[in-house]
Amino acid sequence: MPPERKPFRRIGPDQRRDAMIDAMLSLIAEEGMAAATTRAVAARAGVTPGLIRHYFDSKDALLSAAYERHMSALTAATCGPHQGRSAAQRLARFVAAGLRAPVTSAEAVSLWAGFLAHVQHGGAMQDTHAATYAEFRDHLQALIADALVEAGRAVPEPALRRHAIACNAVIDGLWLEGGMLPDAFAPGELARIGLDSVSAMLDLALTPDMIEEEDTP
Amino acid sequence: MPPERKPFRRIGPDQRRDAMIDAMLSLIAEEGMAAATTRAVAARAGVTPGLIRHYFDSKDALLSAAYERHMSALTAATCGPHQGRSAAQRLARFVAAGLRAPVTSAEAVSLWAGFLAHVQHGGAMQDTHAATYAEFRDHLQALIADALVEAGRAVPEPALRRHAIACNAVIDGLWLEGGMLPDAFAPGELARIGLDSVSAMLDLALTPDMIEEEDTP
DNA sequence: CGGCTAATTGTGCAACTGTATAATTACTGC
DNA sequence: GCAGTAATTATACAGTTGCACAATTAGCCG
């Protein structure tokens, strides 16, 4: 009797890559970075450990790919093309989008936390980190500038930078709290607090009705 | 010839414990959580790996002790007894203290990041986390309440809670940015931004002169 | 000075990790 | 159909890790 070997199907290379990245992400989110071993990832992806090395140069490469995917998903969900009649409305929607699921969620924050330590201590992940951070803050600063100009206020660049730093901080802080203590806030509460805070800091009215869905097609 | 054995001195038990905790903390801050193995910690503490188990039930117990120490150091430095003539001044000093070294520093944030992932996934560290967080926010909320009452403003409890959440978020966010991009901000810049933000959010004047050192003994 | 105790050392081990590599097999083009 | 090739499996290996345990020794108390 021939030794039984696991049967398998060949699927598209991109699909396999994605399956492994998905497995890695869900493992980190659910059981933490320490549990995300090559064997565990392979098992969850329904493959043999050896296959990981066929698609990625090393475990670190897989980790980098996973990090990149997670961060670009977050950025896309927040910075995505928010339509709005006014600049103020676009800003309001940006703030609210970042403080709602799926961006603000226990899984997203858990993942980010798992990666954070690895980002700081060398590796290719630092580039992704810097790029993501810069994109987010630049986007926010542009939205703020537009909204202030729209309101007829000329703000010099240093003050604009400070505004962007501060608004970014509130959003980050609320995002963190919301992800780490999911039950401590009512749905929509964080978005409202974020809106109020940014309003106060910029002295610019951002009202809840700005973020409501539009039913007019 | 008798096999040479490492000579050693007996030092107070508390001192040894502290040495191991120190070793663990500096190791995590400098080289990340992954590098903080029992052997590495023992080596840095100038001790044999076996001794760790004599003082701590497990590596996790040492980790918990280290986490507790780091967080209580942070809390003490921020919530510490800030004297001030007015409630507004005490609030201003609280904010500024949290956004200055050593609280806001690459080491402190690196350490926190290293622990963060472990906190979320079980263990005794969650209690420390919850306690630290609650202490910090309650302290902040009390300071805000005092400052608003002092200004003759009666604020209902739900609004007060939202204020505390928002102020806490700005401080956390700025702290994070400051620790992760230490060179992106001028000295004192974060404290100023924090002060301005809290001022705007509470509609309460917190001026830079409130946080200056007093020379009168 | 001489023992007692606990602090400290040294060694070993079983489990696990990332990775290398050879052996198989499912699919593709002819 | 049939060969060729890339995808996939299986196995093995060297290094590390946390931890257990017995052997030593420093300091204290009489």
Side-chain angles (χ1 to χ4, degrees), chain A residues 5 7-10 36-39 50 53 58-59:
Chain A
R5 204 183 161 91
F8 61 91
R9 294 186 317 116
R10 291 166 99 132
T37 69
T38 52
R39 283 170 176 80
R53 273 303 303 273
S58 69
K59 186 197 175 185

Side-chain angles (χ1 to χ4, degrees), chain A residues 74 98 100-111 175-176 178-180 182:
Chain A
L74 281 190
R100 249 198 320 250
V103 178
T104 292
S105 65
E107 303 81 46
V109 174
S110 276
L111 269 171
W175 175 79
L176 208 62
M180 294 187 48

Side-chain angles (χ1 to χ4, degrees), chain B residues 5 8 10 37-39 53 58-59:
Chain B
R5 205 181 160 94
F8 62 92
R10 293 165 96 131
T37 68
T38 52
R39 284 169 174 82
R53 272 302 304 274
S58 69
K59 187 198 175 184

Side-chain angles (χ1 to χ4, degrees), chain A residues 4-216:
Chain A
E4 295 185 13
R5 204 183 161 91
K6 174 186 177 187
F8 61 91
R9 294 186 317 116
R10 291 166 99 132
I11 64 177
D14 295 336
Q15 224 169 326
R16 260 286 132 79
R17 267 184 70 97
D18 281 356
M20 292 177 184
I21 294 179
D22 283 343
M24 169 122 260
L25 286 176
S26 65
L27 251 171
I28 296 176
E30 290 169 22
E31 308 183 40
M33 186 95 267
T37 69
T38 52
R39 283 170 176 80
V41 170
R44 183 165 291 210
V47 267
T48 298
L51 195 58
I52 290 185
R53 273 303 303 273
H54 189 263
Y55 283 95
F56 299 93
D57 285 344
S58 69
K59 186 197 175 185
D60 258 18
L62 168 56
L63 208 64
S64 265
Y67 180 56
E68 197 167 340
R69 251 219 355 198
H70 180 237
M71 292 315 269
S72 70
L74 281 190
T75 304
T78 312
C79 300
H82 298 303
Q83 308 162 14
R85 289 184 206 81
S86 64
Q89 187 171 38
R90 285 193 296 274
L91 174 59
R93 289 185 172 181
F94 176 92
V95 173
L99 294 175
R100 249 198 320 250
V103 178
T104 292
S105 65
E107 303 81 46
V109 174
S110 276
L111 269 171
W112 175 82
F115 284 122
L116 184 55
H118 279 253
V119 171
Q120 295 179 314
H121 295 285
M125 303 171 69
Q126 284 178 326
D127 298 340
T128 302
H129 168 70
T132 305
Y133 185 83
E135 179 183 355
F136 190 89
R137 200 166 101 184
D138 287 350
H139 197 85
L140 177 57
Q141 180 161 337
L143 286 175
I144 293 175
D146 288 349
L148 290 179
V149 165
E150 183 181 70
R153 311 224 321 252
V155 179
E157 143 72 44
L160 196 60
R161 173 172 171 271
R162 286 197 298 273
H163 274 145
I165 292 173
C167 291
N168 188 30
V170 207
I171 297 173
D172 281 357
L174 290 175
W175 175 79
L176 208 62
E177 294 187 36
M180 294 187 48
L181 301 122
D183 303 324
F185 307 97
E189 186 178 17
L190 285 179
R192 181 188 163 184
I193 297 180
L195 232 50
D196 287 347
S197 301
V198 172
S199 282
M201 292 191 299
L202 300 180
D203 189 21
L204 184 76
L206 300 180
T207 55
D209 61 87
M210 287 180 177
I211 62 176
E212 283 166 8
E213 303 283 341
E214 293 172 6
D215 292 336
T216 57

Side-chain angles (χ1 to χ4, degrees), chain B residues 79-217:
Chain B
C79 301
H82 298 303
Q83 307 161 14
R85 292 183 203 82
S86 63
Q89 186 170 38
R90 285 192 295 275
L91 174 58
R93 288 184 173 181
F94 176 91
V95 174
L99 295 175
R100 250 199 320 251
V103 178
T104 293
S105 65
E107 303 81 45
V109 174
S110 277
L111 269 172
W112 174 83
F115 284 123
L116 184 56
H118 279 254
V119 170
Q120 296 178 310
H121 296 283
M125 301 171 70
Q126 284 178 326
D127 299 339
T128 302
H129 168 70
T132 304
Y133 185 84
E135 180 184 355
F136 191 89
R137 199 166 100 185
D138 288 350
H139 197 86
L140 177 56
Q141 181 161 339
L143 286 175
I144 292 174
D146 288 351
L148 290 179
V149 165
E150 184 183 69
R153 312 226 318 254
V155 178
E157 144 70 46
L160 197 59
R161 173 170 172 273
R162 286 197 299 271
H163 275 145
I165 292 173
C167 292
N168 188 28
V170 206
I171 297 174
D172 281 358
L174 291 173
W175 175 78
L176 208 61
E177 295 188 36
M180 293 186 50
L181 301 121
D183 303 324
F185 307 98
E189 187 178 17
L190 284 179
R192 181 189 161 184
I193 296 179
L195 231 50
D196 287 347
S197 302
V198 172
S199 282
M201 291 191 298
L202 300 180
D203 188 21
L204 184 76
L206 300 180
T207 54
D209 61 87
M210 287 180 177
I211 63 175
E212 283 167 7
E213 302 282 342
E214 293 172 5
D215 293 338
T216 57

